[in-house]
Amino acid sequence: MLKRQNPSTPERRRDLAAHGGALSMSHNDSRSFFNLSQLVLSAGQIRPSPALKHSKITYFEVEIVDVQSKKQICIVDKVPPASTLLDVKHKFHKACPQWYPSRVGLQLERNGPFLKDSVSIQSLAVSSIVTLYFTDLGQQVGWTTFFLTEYTGPLLIYLLFYIRLSTIYDQVESRKNFRHPVVHLACFCHCLHYIRHLLETLFVHKFSEGHTPLKNMIKGCAFYWGFTSWIAYYINHPRYTPPSFGHKQVSYAALAFLMCEAGNHFINVALAHQTNSGNRTCFPSPTYNPFTWLFLLVSCPNYTYEAGSWISFTVMTQTLPVGIFAFLMVIQMSLWAQKKHKLYLKRFYPEVRRKAAIIPIIF
């Protein structure tokens, strides 16, 4: 019986190559493919390589338009949605270096309010193009610089009058006339008032917006420095006459002044602590400190204490310039308190609705 001889493997490969490819699979090849398939299935599904995801971030274009001429100044492009108005101001400053961010005022409408730097562009956008109106706010100064300049002037000016410079008073008359104790006490109280303001500016107060127009600082300095010169000239004059009721009037007024200064300081500390703690859901409440109990009656006790300080100083020194300054300060404090009281009514209506702004019942 003749056995059929299978061609050898090399010869078979040569035949397959000669015919242009394999015509069929051998039994061994089929088994090998089956084993490979079982191995792949046992290992799990073959995961395709992750496809590159295209970015879906929508960028905005901010058109800056002059509020007066309505002409386009520039377009700030590729602004991410998370950007704030301050970021836009910095990019605007790169395009227009003559306007640095602090002097740029941006409005959503021509007659609308200036937008805060913390406002996000996404909250303003109706479409991919946001139009903002530009106003040049002029030269700007920081709030810390503003208050330090405004309060340092009265402190130094008063001391110049207190030492009675020869260019201000007659030296012969200054040596002859004896200084009443109220003159020294007034200098102490006046310096204490402005030193407290300076220290609170540096270590207590927190300013939300970073800048204010330079013209506001000039007006504030002219007001405080001018009145300080007038007040100090009369109190430190060699012919100054003491208060009518003598020692009692001076003592009670000085005690009231010191209490108002202490109350003002504790109220400012309480307001600063309330802001730093992040608890803005309720109106500032009084603490164990008796000076903060004024929160039960008025919404702005810091202005109440400030007005009380100057009224007490007027009674203590009994001079017309101090009285006029105190009168103007009471009016100004009342206006500021009314403005802040309206904001409190919007945010904390149940707690504030029965409170006065600065003086119980009257304001």
Side-chain angles (χ1 to χ4, degrees):
M1 186 174 178
L2 295 176
K3 294 183 179 179
R4 186 179 178 180
Q5 295 181 354
N6 291 330
S8 61
T9 302
E11 293 176 352
R12 185 183 178 191
R13 287 179 180 175
R14 285 196 296 268
D15 293 337
L16 290 174
H19 288 85
L23 297 177
S24 62
M25 278 187 170
S26 65
H27 178 72
N28 292 333
D29 291 337
S30 299
R31 189 171 181 178
S32 299
F33 181 78
F34 177 78
N35 293 335
L36 179 63
S37 301
Q38 291 296 322
L39 178 63
V40 171
L41 291 175
S42 62
Q45 293 182 348
I46 299 177
R47 296 182 180 180
S49 59
L52 294 176
K53 295 182 179 180
H54 296 284
S55 177
K56 296 183 179 180
I57 299 177
T58 303
Y59 291 96
F60 294 99
E61 291 185 356
V62 180
E63 180 187 22
I64 308 295
V65 179
D66 186 78
V67 71
Q68 298 294 337
S69 62
K70 299 182 183 179
K71 294 182 179 179
Q72 183 188 97
I73 300 176
C74 72
I75 292 180
V76 181
D77 57 351
K78 294 184 178 180
V79 179
S83 298
T84 62
L85 209 64
L86 183 60
D87 300 328
V88 175
K89 288 183 179 181
H90 283 291
K91 292 185 178 181
F92 177 59
H93 173 58
K94 291 182 179 179
C96 304
Q98 67 271 27
W99 292 308
Y100 52 90
S102 61
R103 69 181 296 170
V104 174
L106 297 177
Q107 303 163 273
L108 194 60
E109 300 175 357
R110 291 188 64 194
N111 298 324
F114 290 108
L115 301 172
K116 295 183 177 180
D117 291 343
S118 58
V119 175
S120 65
I121 295 299
Q122 193 171 13
S123 64
L124 303 175
V126 179
S127 62
S128 60
I129 301 177
V130 181
T131 302
L132 297 176
Y133 294 94
F134 161 76
T135 301
D136 184 8
L137 300 178
Q139 289 290 112
Q140 302 287 303
V141 293
W143 279 110
T144 302
T145 305
F146 176 90
F147 287 113
L148 290 179
T149 306
E150 192 175 67
Y151 296 142
T152 303
L155 179 63
L156 299 178
I157 290 172
Y158 197 97
L159 291 175
L160 293 177
F161 282 91
Y162 176 74
I163 61 178
R164 290 183 177 178
L165 293 176
S166 58
T167 56
I168 302 175
Y169 302 111
D170 181 68
Q171 291 299 303
V172 177
E173 194 174 29
S174 298
R175 294 190 189 98
K176 288 182 180 179
N177 293 325
F178 171 75
R179 292 197 189 191
H180 194 274
V182 70
V183 176
H184 304 291
L185 182 61
C187 180
F188 170 77
C189 292
H190 191 275
C191 293
L192 176 66
H193 178 78
Y194 285 102
I195 289 174
R196 177 184 63 81
H197 274 303
L198 291 172
L199 293 177
E200 288 178 352
T201 300
L202 293 173
F203 304 109
V204 177
H205 295 303
K206 304 296 179 182
F207 306 107
S208 55
E209 296 296 334
H211 299 84
T212 185
L214 178 63
K215 61 181 180 180
N216 289 347
M217 189 180 75
I218 296 175
K219 290 190 293 183
C221 290
F223 177 78
Y224 279 98
W225 294 17
F227 263 103
T228 300
S229 302
W230 192 23
I231 291 170
Y233 177 80
Y234 272 86
I235 296 177
N236 296 285
H237 198 280
R239 297 183 183 181
Y240 169 76
T241 55
S244 303
F245 297 96
H247 180 71
K248 287 186 177 181
Q249 179 178 342
V250 174
S251 300
Y252 290 140
L255 180 61
F257 177 87
L258 295 176
M259 291 181 64
C260 288
E261 287 295 303
N264 201 340
H265 172 70
F266 288 123
I267 291 295
N268 288 331
V269 171
L271 291 174
H273 179 72
Q274 189 87 4
T275 303
N276 292 339
S277 64
N279 183 14
R280 299 186 180 184
T281 59
C282 60
F283 181 75
S285 57
T287 63
Y288 63 89
N289 191 335
F291 289 101
T292 63
W293 295 351
L294 199 57
F295 272 122
L296 298 172
L297 301 176
V298 297
S299 59
C300 304
N302 52 327
Y303 294 143
T304 306
Y305 282 123
E306 183 76 11
S309 295
W310 287 110
I311 293 173
S312 303
F313 194 77
T314 303
V315 176
M316 182 178 65
T317 58
Q318 195 174 312
T319 54
L320 180 63
V322 182
I324 296 175
F325 181 75
F327 176 74
L328 295 177
M329 288 297 292
V330 170
I331 293 177
Q332 183 63 71
M333 295 295 166
S334 301
L335 295 176
W336 287 341
Q338 286 288 342
K339 184 178 180 180
K340 186 172 289 188
H341 185 72
K342 291 180 180 179
L343 295 177
Y344 283 153
L345 285 175
K346 293 180 181 179
R347 297 177 59 187
F348 317 111
Y349 176 73
E351 297 92 339
V352 184
R353 62 189 179 92
R354 293 185 179 181
K355 302 179 188 294
I358 181 172
I359 300 176
I361 301 174
I362 299 177
F363 294 105

